[in-house]
Structures are given as C-alpha cells and as structure tokens.
Amino acid sequence: MRAANALYLLVAGLVGAGIACAERQPEASFAARDSAGVEIVESRGPAWAEGAGWVVAATPLLAIGLAEGAAEYQFSQVEGALRLPDGRIVVADGGSREIRFFDAEGRFLSASGRRGGAPGEYQQIIGMGLGPGDSIWVFDYGVRRFTVLSGGGEVARTLTLDPTLSNVGTVGRLDDGSFVVREFWSSGASRAEIRLGLGRDPAAVARYAADGTQLDTIGLFPGREVYIGTEDGRGVMSTPLFAHSTSAAVTSDAVYVGDQERFEIGRYSATGALQRSIRLLGVDLRTTRQDIERATEERLASVPDDQRAMMRAQLESMEVPATRPAYGRLLVDAAGNLWVSQYAAYPSQPVMWHVFAADSRLLGRVRMPQRFRVFQVGAAWILGVWRDDYDVEYVHVYELRKDG
C-alpha cells in the first residue's frame, strides 16, 4: 500500500476557507484517507466554532402568496421554486400545472403550462431545476418527460425517457446536459412469492442523455422501505414509521447518493464510479417508545378524524425499523456545498440541516424556519415554500448570513 494510503489528514477547528487553527485540539474533527482509490472523509464534529456559522434570518426578504385574492398568487402543491440569475422567481404549481414567473420584488409576470399531455402541458409535475443561462427544466412524472423552457417560459424542447426504468423521479441535471433520475420503488426484479414484513428492494439511480435514452446506471441502492402484510389473502404494502429511502442530489459533474441506514453518503462519477464516502461519526439512530408515539401522532395529524382510529391500529400492527433514518433530503448549493437534512417524519419538514464543504468536511448545522421546504440555496439566500397554520403555501426567500 502506498504511504499516501495510510496518511490521515487531521484537521481540527476548520473555519470558512479551510485553514487549520494553530492550536492543537485533543481530538480531530475531520479526517481523510484513501482506500483502494476511494476517498474516505470522516467528521466527528463541526468546523464552525460554537456561536459561529451560518444563520437563516427570522423574517423573509421576499414573500409571494395569498390566502385569498388574485389566482396567480395562490399556490397549491408547489413542486419547485427557483431564483433565476436576474432575480426573477419561478414557481412550479402542481395544482394548476403552471410554471409561474415573478419579478425580483414578487410581482406576477406570466405563466406557462396547463393540465394536459401535449408539449408545454403537464400531468404531474414533481421536479424543476436550472439549465444553462436562465433556462429551466420541468419533470412530468405522469408522462416521464422533461420539458426545457426558455427564461421567458417558452418550450425549447422536450425529452421523454425510454421505458428502461419505471416509477422514476428526477434528481437533477449535470453540466454535460444529461439528467439523473432515481426509481422510487423496485428496479423491476420479479418475486416468486410475496415477502412479508419490512423490506427494501433495489432501486436504480441512472443517467439519461438529451434524447431520453439511458446512458449509465449510477448504481442499484436499497429503495424505499415498505411493510408488506396480508389482507383477504393478498399482499398489502404500507409505509412504516421511520421508513428509510434513497436520498440523492447532483453537483456539476457528480451524483451524491445515500441509503439512510447510517450517516454515510457516496459521491459517484457520472458513470457510476464511487469517488468518495462521506461519513459523520457518533450519530445515535436508536428510537425510543416516545419517538414511536410522537411519529405516530405526526402521521395521524394529517388523517381525517373519522379515519384516525383505523390508521392508528394499522400503524401499531406494522413492524418498525430498528433505527430511524440517519438523514433525509440532500441538496447542493451554488458553491458546491452539500446540505443534508435531518430526518423528519412525514408530513413534517426538516428543521436542521448539516452543511458539508466541497471537500466533504462537516462545517456545521443550519436551522430552517418551521414548516419550510427548501428548494434552492444561493450564495447568501435560501428559497423555498412555507406553509402557515392553515396549510396555505407561500414562496419565501430568506437571507443566509455567513458569520463563520
């Protein structure tokens, strides 16, 4: 083994640009090593000093939305929101199947799209992202189609995925123009018989070319965790409490994927080669009876009153995973930092996010507003959708103060 393979780069108290403090710490917070060509990066604690770091402002810089009033300011099932380079805000409204454009002050400009199957129409929007310049892509789950829009909302082109994989959602777009998707469920492996209890079938993360043909399979990963029971002699699939899933995000030329079983995330090349394993050590994933009861109540909160007793009985009859998921969503910001949310039981939104620098050392944690779903992180702002106590959706932009 090369000497470099055994070398540990021990850095304690890293701040901002990654310069090590002169004072030696009793235990390193960050270590990197090479293992058979794969970089292993382990963090034990944050680089930001206590009291330092990044903070999301308490009140938004910009708020778009109305509970009552003009229809273009009322949102229903927002499935994406972006800030364009010129400051305009773009919102994918899943209820109306519209892509709405607002100016930098939040004034409505125009909308494109409607319900339908023709180019420029949508059946089920589940993702949106930035393309080159001010172009935008929208993914329609209903027809497995990417629609690329100009900055003004005109349809530039569409691409429909070939049927190699089914049940896919979008992860993002790489700089080479290819799109990365992931399966929600199984990769298509058939079963000879129903396997009762908890299980995770393999699910693919794959890359597609601009013409919709599959280029590479990044890998097969444990898919969404389900519980299969029986009812009237047939298998019934349900989502248990603390169900694990596959988290994924893209950067310019690589894909981050993690299975949530422990706090470990892989960085893969566009062709599927594992480049780096990112780990956070010392995370306790055990669940208590109080955790299970709290998760049960959160699940029941969105269930109609007359169905809660039946849902509670169903939840209590299902086996619960031995540990909770190590994290939730993944997101890459404008500077290439990887944001990893804490796990949040459906239907709640995560409040705390871990931030890893481009070299994958842990910088620290950032607290988000309650009931806020993050869609995009810029250099000094965060954009997403906030829900009020009546479940009305508003697009918010918050200042991100970087004190560390």
Side-chain angles (χ1 to χ4, degrees):
M1 181 179 294
R2 293 178 289 117
N5 290 359
L7 179 63
Y8 279 73
L9 304 177
L10 302 181
V11 181
L14 294 174
V15 179
I19 300 175
C21 297
E23 182 179 356
R24 185 179 179 84
Q25 300 294 320
E27 185 177 21
S29 62
F30 167 67
R33 58 188 168 92
D34 182 276
S35 176
V38 176
E39 186 180 18
I40 310 296
V41 179
E42 297 178 335
S43 294
R44 294 183 178 275
W48 291 330
E50 187 173 353
W54 300 350
V55 177
V56 177
T59 57
L61 293 169
L62 177 66
I64 307 173
L66 292 172
E68 297 180 350
E72 57 266 29
Y73 292 97
Q74 295 186 51
F75 301 115
S76 173
Q77 303 172 28
V78 172
E79 293 294 341
L82 298 169
R83 196 181 199 185
L84 298 181
D86 62 7
R88 286 179 297 150
I89 305 296
V90 186
V91 181
D93 187 77
S96 66
R97 276 70 165 181
E98 288 181 330
I99 310 301
R100 300 181 191 172
F101 292 78
F102 301 83
D103 69 15
E105 278 69 51
R107 291 183 290 265
F108 176 75
L109 296 173
S110 62
S112 70
R114 61 183 180 181
R115 185 192 299 268
E121 299 176 340
Y122 308 99
Q123 293 185 10
Q124 188 177 357
I125 299 172
I126 63 168
M128 181 174 71
L130 289 174
D134 61 355
S135 65
I136 304 144
W137 57 260
V138 182
F139 184 67
D140 186 345
Y141 175 82
V143 292
R144 299 167 53 83
R145 184 172 65 205
F146 284 94
T147 299
V148 180
L149 303 174
S150 70
E154 297 83 11
V155 176
R157 63 186 177 91
T158 64
L159 61 114
T160 301
L161 303 184
D162 68 29
T164 307
L165 300 177
S166 60
N167 235 340
V168 297
T170 182
V171 176
R173 179 188 180 277
L174 300 178
D175 281 358
D176 65 5
S178 61
F179 289 94
V180 178
V181 302
R182 68 179 180 91
E183 288 186 299
F184 291 120
W185 305 103
S186 168
S187 62
S190 60
R191 292 179 181 171
E193 58 183 21
I194 295 175
R195 185 179 63 249
L196 300 179
L198 289 174
R200 300 184 69 180
D201 286 336
V205 176
R207 187 166 67 102
Y208 280 79
D211 64 359
T213 58
Q214 186 176 338
L215 290 172
D216 302 284
T217 298
I218 306 300
L220 289 177
F221 303 90
R224 184 177 176 182
E225 190 167 27
V226 298
Y227 179 85
I228 298 180
T230 58
E231 183 177 302
D232 298 329
R234 58 186 178 87
V236 177
M237 184 171 64
S238 305
T239 301
L241 300 175
F242 305 111
H244 299 73
S245 188
T246 298
S247 301
V250 301
T251 184
S252 60
D253 61 352
V255 184
Y256 292 101
V257 185
D259 64 12
Q260 302 181 353
E261 294 288 347
R262 57 178 179 166
F263 210 116
E264 181 172 5
I265 298 162
R267 176 188 165 110
Y268 296 83
S269 72
T271 57
L274 179 60
Q275 300 172 330
R276 181 183 297 165
S277 178
I278 306 160
R279 302 171 182 174
L280 180 58
L281 306 180
V283 179
D284 186 0
L285 301 178
R286 293 173 296 180
T287 59
T288 65
R289 169 45 56 183
Q290 290 77 12
D291 294 330
I292 294 172
E293 183 56 33
R294 183 165 55 249
T296 300
E297 293 301 325
E298 289 178 351
R299 181 83 67 89
L300 293 175
S302 61
V303 176
D305 291 345
D306 60 346
Q307 298 177 24
R308 288 186 181 179
M310 179 181 66
M311 177 59 73
R312 176 179 287 277
Q314 183 182 17
L315 290 173
E316 291 177 347
S317 70
M318 284 190 280
E319 182 183 355
V320 176
T323 59
R324 62 181 172 84
Y327 46 84
R329 294 175 54 206
L330 307 183
L331 184 151
V332 178
D333 70 14
N337 301 306
L338 175 65
W339 292 63
V340 183
S341 83
Q342 71 178 95
Y343 166 73
Y346 177 83
S348 59
Q349 293 294 329
V351 174
M352 298 300 300
W353 288 69
H354 292 83
V355 183
F356 293 83
D359 64 1
S360 299
R361 74 189 188 279
L362 175 65
L363 295 176
R365 300 202 302 171
V366 176
R367 179 180 292 276
M368 297 293 175
Q370 295 282 348
R371 303 190 301 277
F372 180 65
R373 183 183 180 189
V374 181
F375 282 117
Q376 187 183 18
V377 180
W381 49 267
I382 290 180
L383 179 150
V385 171
W386 175 77
R387 291 176 179 265
D388 68 12
D389 292 336
Y390 300 97
D391 223 25
V392 177
E393 295 175 287
Y394 302 83
V395 175
H396 280 185
V397 179
Y398 292 90
E399 179 186 7
L400 178 61
R401 299 169 184 161
K402 297 184 176 181
D403 301 325

